[in-house]
Amino acid sequence: MSKKTVLEVNDLSTHYMTSKGDVRGLDDASFEIKRGEALGLAGESGCGKSTLAFSLLKMVQPPGKIVKGTIDLDGIEVTKLTEKQARKKIRWNKISMVFQGAMDILTPVYTVGQQMKEPLKYHKGIEGKEAREICVEYLDLVDLDAELFDRYPHELSGGQKQRVIIATALLMEPDVVILDEPTTALDVVVEARIMNDLKRLKKELDNSSIFITHDLSILAEVSDKLAIMYAGWIIEIGSALDIYHDPKHPYTEKLMAAIPTLHEDIDRLEYIPGAPPDLIRPPSGCRFHPRCHKAFDKCREEVPADRMVDGVRVKCHLYPED
Ligand code: SF4
């Protein structure tokens, strides 16, 4: 039986209005996530990954604004919600986020437990002993002892703090959890433990997740589906396995070639020359054309439409349009 779609995004665009012009942080993003599915979002810094995440939570701050598109989160149209409605209806209980550098967001003057209990009280009116029991259950889920509930953040290691944040994000059993660079600040041993925890939790809880990282080797571990972003566009999206084994977009090809491997004798790692474009005045036609090794005349003139190639959606003139 096919699984239910929990999140459907169509033509979503989010821009930042500045005195120099509109920064096109995200343009025409479309995708869906089914229950239990993990979507990996990858691309260079500034490609729109975090803008997309903040848009899904309706948390884009001025001068940023969702200018177009729809976000259907389990039947709720997120773009139409006021700030108060978004806080009450979707954040934490329908969609939650582990922010970049999340371990630094714990307030030093409150215990772990005081901070974890907040969303339970706000959304479900659960307090006292019952709230404690639920929090301890989720601490256990991320492999942390119950005694951490009464500790202050400075008494925890970086990995423990990160797991507290992950436990808190799961506490309200949201349909979708967004993890923005969940292991970036951690050493490789702690990173591996947390990634194993996340893989186990995905099986146990059957929730949907969005992993954001520029580290493609991490996404290979956890994603069912992969979306590659460049300059505010999703330029390739499809099954993670298909994209790993046979990337279609020239940008994805180069990204994959830049992953170091232990087993192959490589003299030199691949890299992509140049820098991401200015998103106030992005390049004409395909935004990747100034850096693309396969660019031809049409790429400089026409914005490529999305097309399906072997089950993967690709934004590139190299392939025939549907
Ligand atoms: Fe390269 Fe052209 Fe494809 Fe853009 S549309 S990725 S410039 S080949």
Side-chain angles (χ1 to χ4, degrees):
M1 197 178 78
S2 83
K3 291 206 170 183
K4 186 182 163 205
T5 298
V6 290
L7 176 69
E8 188 175 342
V9 176
N10 279 304
D11 283 333
L12 187 68
S13 297
T14 300
H15 296 174
Y16 299 89
M17 287 63 179
T18 72
S19 55
K20 292 184 179 159
D22 293 358
V23 180
R24 311 177 71 95
L26 180 73
D27 267 333
D28 305 314
S30 297
F31 64 92
E32 59 169 43
I33 301 178
K34 295 193 186 303
R35 174 133 211 100
E37 209 170 41
L39 169 74
L41 267 186
E44 288 163 293
S45 299
C47 68
K49 305 185 295 283
S50 297
T51 297
L52 173 55
F54 279 91
S55 303
L56 297 179
L57 285 149
K58 193 84 196 306
M59 275 179 71
V60 178
Q61 298 298 315
K65 194 179 168 200
I66 295 176
V67 292
K68 191 173 68 115
T70 56
I71 303 168
D72 181 335
L73 177 61
D74 197 25
I76 299 173
E77 180 43 58
V78 173
T79 57
K80 295 210 166 24
L81 298 177
T82 62
E83 169 57 25
K84 197 172 165 195
Q85 288 169 331
R87 227 182 302 136
K88 196 74 195 167
K89 282 190 174 180
I90 62 159
R91 286 183 211 144
W92 293 103
N93 51 6
K94 288 264 171 212
I95 186 165
S96 65
M97 181 159 170
V98 175
F99 293 92
Q100 234 179 82
M103 57 190 184
D104 299 323
I105 66 171
L106 287 169
T107 309
V109 293
Y110 293 114
T111 63
V112 164
Q114 284 169 322
Q115 299 183 61
M116 283 187 79
K117 285 191 301 186
E118 267 306 293
L120 284 172
K121 183 180 170 190
Y122 181 77
H123 287 284
K124 293 191 172 170
I126 300 175
E127 294 183 74
K129 194 164 168 267
E130 192 184 353
R132 183 187 181 100
E133 278 169 11
I134 295 173
C135 295
V136 166
E137 186 191 323
Y138 277 83
L139 286 174
D140 182 52
L141 208 58
V142 294
D143 219 7
L144 291 175
D145 289 339
E147 48 124 358
L148 260 71
F149 184 87
D150 295 308
R151 289 215 212 150
Y152 286 89
H154 73 268
E155 299 176 281
L156 274 55
S157 69
Q160 286 174 324
K161 282 191 238 176
Q162 193 69 348
R163 282 209 213 111
V164 165
I165 299 291
I166 293 170
T168 310
L170 295 170
L171 207 55
M172 303 290 300
E173 300 177 354
D175 295 316
V176 182
V177 180
I178 304 174
L179 299 120
D180 191 356
E181 305 277 6
T183 55
T184 301
L186 305 170
D187 67 62
V188 283
V189 177
V190 180
E191 178 179 58
R193 270 192 76 183
I194 290 188
M195 290 319 290
N196 284 336
D197 282 349
L198 291 173
K199 279 198 279 182
R200 176 178 51 79
L201 289 172
K202 179 174 178 280
K203 278 197 200 136
E204 283 175 21
L205 303 176
D206 196 32
N207 59 357
S208 311
S209 48
I210 300 178
F211 279 88
I212 303 177
T213 177
H214 54 263
D215 187 339
L216 283 161
S217 51
I218 284 186
L219 288 186
E221 290 278 315
V222 291
S223 313
D224 303 301
K225 217 168 165 179
L226 201 57
I228 308 293
M229 297 192 68
Y230 183 79
W233 284 346
I234 293 178
I235 48 102
E236 181 159 5
I237 182 166
S239 131
L241 277 180
D242 288 347
I243 295 180
Y244 272 101
H245 292 303
D246 184 17
K248 302 276 184 301
H249 195 281
Y251 177 68
T252 318
E253 260 178 50
K254 287 283 186 187
L255 273 189
M256 296 294 171
I259 303 175
T261 68
L262 281 177
H263 308 294
E264 281 170 41
D265 193 11
I266 300 171
D267 288 341
R268 215 163 147 255
L269 281 177
E270 289 265 359
Y271 68 99
I272 305 172
D278 171 6
L279 290 181
I280 294 179
R281 279 167 222 84
S284 60
C286 173
R287 290 182 184 175
F288 186 53
H289 87 249
R291 304 173 74 192
C292 181
H293 57 297
K294 293 185 176 169
F296 54 105
D297 288 348
K298 189 176 180 183
C299 306
R300 292 172 198 95
E301 289 148 20
E302 267 181 48
V303 172
D306 289 341
R307 52 266 272 167
M308 292 305 293
V309 186
D310 301 338
V312 172
R313 203 181 79 211
V314 190
K315 199 177 188 66
C316 174
H317 287 309
L318 286 175
Y319 303 95
E321 284 193 49
D322 298 336

